[in-house]
Amino acid sequence: MGVYFKIFKQLDYFNLDAEFSIDNELLVIEGSSGAGKTTILNCIAGIRVPDEGRISIGERIVFDRAGKINVPAEKRNIGYLFQNYALFPNMSARDNVFYGLKNKKEYRDKSKRKELADYADYMMETLGISHLSDKRPGNISGGEKQRVALARAMVTKPSLLLLDEPFSALDAATKEKIYEEFSEFKRILKIPTILITHNHRESELFADKHITLKEGRILS
């Protein structure tokens, strides 16, 4: 399983023109705000459409302009943890995690629904948030929100995990704890993962591969 990405997209102030590939490893994309990092993730996820290029996940092509292929976002089997976590404030932590299952075809099969629900509960236990099941996002800490959002991204057993500055909203003490937890979680993920950050320390801690982006172009 790997990811190949080569796209061109015209943005407001520059053109995003980038190419990279990864296997079952963690790629850190580092760069200043506005460099095009989140646009890369959104193109991979199917939220934005490149002007040109090709994106594949494993053996599956999810975007190819020349071949007129553009797989809808909900069918790309990607886990996406947004910078602000994007949790639903009116839902409990458990309902937020389970929401990630609702687009799965298997979830509509009642015979398989319990297996999926058991896996969601297992993921919450693995991330140490089972005790938060009935609490809403407004009543839990930043670190706990991060773990709920990560559990929601992982319950679908994605082929690829996208992380958009997932630690930026955490205070310094919480970051250190989450860094330790994420290092362990990274060890057991065994799927391609792309982490966006402007924090060089996070790159040093987590990167199997690293690229720096500036105004839409890869510098290294």
Side-chain angles (χ1 to χ4, degrees), residues 7-168:
I7 69 108
F8 173 88
K9 185 168 182 61
Q10 186 173 359
L11 304 178
D12 290 340
Y13 300 107
F14 55 81
N15 295 328
L16 175 61
D17 189 357
E19 178 179 10
F20 59 80
S21 63
I22 58 172
D23 294 315
N24 288 343
E25 54 199 340
L26 190 146
L27 168 69
V28 167
I29 303 178
E30 192 176 351
S32 60
S33 296
K37 304 186 302 297
T38 297
T39 300
I40 286 177
L41 294 197
N42 287 343
C43 287
I44 295 172
I47 297 170
R48 298 190 71 173
V49 180
D51 299 327
E52 302 292 341
R54 186 173 185 269
I55 304 169
S56 62
I57 303 172
E59 300 299 318
R60 187 182 184 211
I61 298 170
V62 296
F63 176 81
D64 188 333
R65 174 64 77 184
K68 298 182 179 180
I69 297 169
N70 187 20
V71 175
E74 67 273 13
K75 294 184 178 180
R76 294 193 181 192
N77 194 31
I78 292 172
Y80 198 155
L81 191 142
F82 296 90
Q83 185 174 358
N84 64 358
Y85 308 143
L87 298 176
F88 297 104
N90 60 327
M91 291 185 183
S92 68
R94 191 171 190 272
D95 286 344
N96 265 283
V97 172
F98 273 65
Y99 187 84
L101 295 173
K102 294 187 177 178
N103 284 326
K104 294 283 284 184
K105 182 174 65 176
E106 295 92 333
Y107 192 78
R108 294 189 284 274
D109 183 341
K110 290 184 179 180
S111 66
K112 296 181 179 179
R113 191 173 295 179
K114 185 180 184 306
E115 179 183 343
L116 291 171
D118 287 345
Y119 183 74
D121 286 332
Y122 164 76
M123 188 56 60
M124 290 186 71
E125 182 178 350
T126 299
L127 291 170
I129 54 173
S130 297
H131 65 291
L132 303 174
S133 289
D134 298 327
K135 293 189 176 182
R136 293 188 177 187
N139 297 319
I140 62 179
S141 71
E144 290 167 339
K145 288 177 187 176
Q146 193 257 5
R147 279 175 272 178
V148 171
L150 184 56
R152 183 177 64 185
M154 291 302 299
V155 292
T156 59
K157 299 182 180 179
S159 301
L160 169 66
L161 181 61
L162 306 177
L163 307 170
D164 189 358
E165 300 198 28
F167 313 113
S168 62

Side-chain angles (χ1 to χ4, degrees), residues 178-188 205-206:
I178 294 297
Y179 284 167
E180 291 180 14
E181 292 173 353
F182 186 74
S183 292
E184 176 61 18
F185 196 64
K186 172 182 175 286
R187 187 182 65 80
I188 63 174
L205 284 171
F206 305 126

